[in-house]
Amino acid sequence: MADHPEGSRPLWGSRLGFILAAAGSAIGLGNIWKFPYVTGENGGGLFVLIYLGCVVLVGLPIMMAEILLGRASRQSPVGAFAAFSRPGSSWPLVGWLGVAAGFVILSYYSVVAGWALHYVLLSLTDHFRHLQPDQMGGIFDTLYGAGDINLFWHLLFMLATVSVVLAGVQGGIEKTCRVMMPALFLIIMLLVGYSVFLPNGGFLKALDFTFTPHLERLSRRSVLEALGHSFFTLSLGMGTMLTYGSYLDRQASLLKVSLQVVLLDTLISLLACLMVYPVMFSFGLAPQAGPGLVFKSLPMLFAQLPGGLLISLAFFVLVVFAALTSAISLLEVVTATVMDRAGWSRRRAALVTGAAIFAFGIPAAYAGDGRLLGAWASMFGMNFFDTMDYLASNWMLPLGGLLIAVFTGWVMPESARRAAFGAPAGQAWLYTGFVFVLRWLAPTLVLLVLLHKIGVLQELGVMGS
Ligand code: PFF
């Protein structure tokens, strides 16, 4: 903490500051935009249960491993891997893979956050009120196709992200999360509270859909999807938690802080379902609308509710806050790495990396426009935006997570790992369990997912698609 300064490494001002910043990173578009539609597509209750299993068995231990590596090395990802491996080893490449993932994810994440900014403006001008349902999808499609508008919001959002990271760990990241996270909790509670009173039993149907397991609605794919999503939503596999952990005091219990972050993230995902589904159900719609759920279906429904302007405004402000506190963590990984490796000042590193990520995201802003990179889609079968998302969430994060588990479980010297874990006396079993999960369980599960993705398991006849 601030009163235990360690060298020149900045530290969080308080334990709560760390929790809010780490939860701010975890809670983002993944919870409010992605989780409700992925759960909707996978049939609800049982998917939620499997997802919770993945979070506990894989997500929690890998989060602990990341925080441990960061705190023990006081370094960003590349340096952390170098600190606990032999000189000249290739392990620091895993750190670079994380930096690359952060770079890629932020470049399109910022474009999606830009859509939410656009919708804040549309809510403010009461634009949704007079639209017919069939025009609503049109609003999103028009926005998606308007590269220049996307570029404008992408620029604005990146400027906001850079300005927070520029201001430092305590003065920028922690301060922003201390304001935005409580605001986010409050807004979501109010919106869920509102949903309870929607007509046609919408809320009860939503409860049933989210929590009652139905075996017949689940496919084998769902298990893989649940594991993949747990990486994205918990910000794992690219050194975000590692970097935030590098600013954490040595007294904090690894299990306790990780558990708090995981619980907050899961709570918000579930609340997001209880906020989004009741609106759908009370209008007699099923929550299987796919990625368009939040940007197409919801505003149309908000427009018909009493107080719709305020509701849609609150909702999209919530999305922007959630996205910003995640975006700053993505940029922080890249910025901190440049600072640690090249010795640049925070100011210079944040400005240069922010500008580079903005530039890299320009094709994502024009993904639906067709004027730029029109040939990309015919070359790769998906547009630039989807290609980046696919690469990062389906490959880079799980692969990064796998390697982090293997590194912490097998490569990091036992003495350093044990000291960094710091199990309280009488809880040695905790440490043993942690190492077992990192060595065997987490890598096996992640490996299964990756093998399934490259089709090896189908070849062997072990699993259908
Ligand atoms: N966890 C964020 C979300 O759920 O939206 C996204 C994210 C942030 C992924 C940071 C990875 C990361 F390192």
Side-chain angles (χ1 to χ4, degrees):
M1 279 192 253
D3 45 342
H4 300 287
E6 252 182 273
S8 59
R9 194 84 181 163
L11 295 178
W12 302 106
S14 71
R15 190 92 33 94
L16 181 68
F18 167 76
I19 301 288
L20 290 177
S25 167
I27 297 166
L29 297 168
N31 304 62
I32 294 165
W33 167 59
K34 223 168 170 189
F35 190 73
Y37 90 73
V38 173
T39 302
E41 285 177 338
N42 285 286
L46 193 55
F47 176 80
V48 172
L49 218 68
I50 293 174
Y51 162 76
L52 292 178
C54 294
V55 164
V56 174
L57 293 177
V58 182
L60 182 66
I62 293 187
M63 180 170 297
M64 291 170 70
E66 283 208 22
I67 299 176
L68 180 150
L69 283 175
R71 185 170 67 173
S73 64
R74 293 276 181 245
Q75 291 274 334
S76 45
V78 179
F81 282 98
F84 298 112
S85 55
R86 261 184 259 119
S89 97
S90 323
W91 280 102
L93 285 178
V94 181
W96 287 115
L97 177 75
V99 175
F103 198 95
V104 170
I105 296 178
L106 183 52
S107 73
Y108 69 82
Y109 202 83
S110 165
V111 175
V112 181
W115 298 342
L117 279 173
H118 188 75
Y119 275 58
V120 167
L121 186 72
L122 293 181
S123 307
L124 272 175
T125 51
D126 209 7
H127 195 79
F128 299 136
R129 167 142 10 230
H130 309 291
L131 292 172
Q132 297 308 311
D134 54 323
Q135 292 174 301
M136 200 63 229
I139 290 209
F140 181 74
D141 295 337
T142 311
L143 172 65
Y144 189 59
D148 303 340
I149 299 181
N150 280 306
L151 188 66
F152 169 74
W153 293 119
H154 170 48
L155 175 66
L156 203 71
F157 187 79
M158 280 308 297
L159 282 175
T161 308
V162 169
S163 67
V164 174
V165 171
L166 245 178
V169 174
Q170 277 193 29
I173 302 174
E174 185 170 349
K175 210 163 145 191
T176 306
C177 292
R178 269 182 177 276
V179 176
M180 289 200 172
M181 293 314 287
L184 184 143
F185 294 133
L186 187 74
I187 298 175
I188 202 163
M189 293 310 287
L190 287 175
L191 288 175
V192 172
Y194 184 91
S195 293
V196 175
F197 299 104
L198 287 174
N200 305 326
F203 190 75
L204 287 180
K205 287 181 193 152
L207 273 179
D208 178 60
F209 185 82
T210 313
F211 293 110
T212 311
H214 292 279
L215 193 60
E216 70 285 359
R217 292 195 198 147
L218 199 79
S219 70
R220 287 198 193 128
R221 267 194 88 86
S222 306
V223 181
L224 308 169
E225 191 127 15
L227 188 67
H229 184 67
S230 61
F231 275 98
F232 187 81
T233 189
L234 293 172
S235 303
L236 296 178
M238 53 153 280
T240 305
M241 291 300 165
L242 189 158
T243 307
Y244 274 15
S246 75
Y247 311 129
L248 179 66
D249 68 287
R250 294 200 191 276
Q251 286 72 39
S253 149
L254 212 54
L255 178 64
K256 202 164 141 193
V257 293
S258 309
L259 211 55
Q260 282 167 337
V261 175
V262 167
L263 282 176
L264 282 173
D265 184 76
T266 305
L267 181 74
I268 296 296
S269 288
L270 296 176
L271 285 176
C273 290
L274 297 184
M275 162 177 75
V276 171
Y277 294 159
V279 185
M280 308 292 294
F281 281 122
S282 81
F283 284 94
L285 297 171
Q288 275 107 12
L293 189 66
V294 159
F295 289 106
K296 285 184 175 175
S297 314
L298 272 187
M300 166 187 96
L301 304 178
F302 287 155
Q304 305 177 24
L305 295 173
L309 186 151
L310 271 183
I311 303 289
S312 73
L313 184 62
F315 180 78
F316 287 108
V317 167
L318 170 86
V319 179
V320 170
F321 280 11
L324 185 63
T325 52
S326 298
I328 56 184
S329 74
L330 288 159
L331 182 60
E332 176 65 14
V333 173
V334 187
T335 300
T337 303
V338 171
M339 287 167 65
D340 289 347
R341 309 313 297 169
W344 285 12
S345 68
R346 172 167 285 274
R347 191 183 168 75
R348 185 169 172 209
L351 282 172
V352 172
T353 54
I357 293 171
F358 166 73
F360 193 75
I362 294 176
Y366 281 88
D369 190 299
R371 276 183 289 163
L372 195 70
L373 288 179
W376 185 283
S378 43
M379 251 170 4
F380 295 97
M382 46 180 138
N383 67 34
F384 185 81
F385 187 100
D386 296 330
T387 315
M388 292 302 125
D389 183 32
Y390 173 77
L391 255 181
S393 348
N394 287 314
W395 291 102
M396 296 169 108
L397 296 187
L399 188 65
L402 171 72
L403 293 170
I404 287 168
V406 169
F407 182 80
T408 318
W410 294 99
V411 180
M412 187 178 183
E414 161 71 13
S415 53
R417 185 177 53 223
R418 190 180 278 276
F421 187 83
Q427 292 188 2
W429 58 271
L430 240 172
Y431 176 73
T432 315
F434 172 66
V435 175
F436 173 80
V437 172
L438 282 185
R439 285 191 167 179
W440 301 105
L441 191 64
T444 310
L445 287 174
V446 181
L447 204 62
L448 279 179
V449 171
L450 291 175
L451 289 179
H452 180 272
K453 280 189 179 139
I454 48 179
V456 172
L457 297 187
Q458 292 92 319
E459 289 279 304
L460 297 174
V462 182
M463 246 184 173
S465 52

